[in-house]
Amino acid sequence: QVQLVESGGGLVQPGGSLRLSCAASGRTFSNYVVGWFRQAPQKEREFVAHLIWSTGSTSYTPAVKGRFTISGDAAKNTVDLQMNNLRPDDTAVYFCAVRRQFTPNSVQSYNSWGQGTQVTVSS
């Protein structure tokens, strides 16, 4: 099973940038889809973006498209989420997770999760 650890969260002003990183141990991301999710207080966990490792294909929720970029680094065995032009409504705990490629694109298909990293956007 893949163990995941997120890093890079913090406090940033509106319009600022942060880069989150998801590091895997135990195995590589080969044959996996790596997703980023977020959960704000009193809200359900929501999909942010995913990367299909084998093809490099990416997908984003409309709220972050054009502002966030997901990318993989095979040498480091990490998947990063570059977040630009951050807004207060981006404030949440951000999680990375993995699911096997070709499984349904749903939260339930993700079977390994990191512990989360807090992102707070506030002036």
Side-chain angles (χ1 to χ4, degrees):
Q1 192 168 356
V2 181
Q3 285 83 46
L4 304 172
V5 177
E6 303 96 336
S7 61
L11 172 64
V12 64
Q13 292 186 343
S17 298
L18 281 174
R19 189 175 185 90
L20 306 183
S21 187
C22 175
S25 61
R27 59 177 62 192
T28 68
F29 287 126
S30 299
N31 301 316
Y32 284 96
V33 178
V34 183
W36 280 97
F37 294 78
R38 64 187 181 186
Q39 187 165 19
Q42 283 88 51
K43 291 190 176 181
E44 291 188 357
R45 191 168 298 187
E46 65 172 355
F47 169 80
V48 175
H50 79 222
L51 169 71
I52 301 175
W53 187 264
S54 63
T55 65
S57 177
T58 60
S59 179
Y60 301 89
T61 192
V64 308
K65 203 166 187 179
R67 300 188 297 123
F68 291 11
T69 303
I70 188 171
S71 61
D73 187 326
K76 296 179 180 178
N77 207 32
T78 59
V79 173
D80 291 352
L81 185 69
Q82 176 67 41
M83 306 186 296
N84 298 328
N85 192 21
L86 283 160
R87 309 186 303 218
D89 61 359
D90 293 317
T91 295
V93 178
Y94 283 71
F95 300 86
C96 68
V98 295
R99 61 177 171 87
R100 289 283 188 180
Q101 195 174 349
F102 307 119
T103 55
N105 186 20
S106 66
V107 173
Q108 292 77 16
S109 294
Y110 287 84
N111 53 16
S112 292
W113 292 80
Q115 82 289 349
T117 185
Q118 177 70 47
V119 171
T120 303
V121 184
S122 175
S123 55

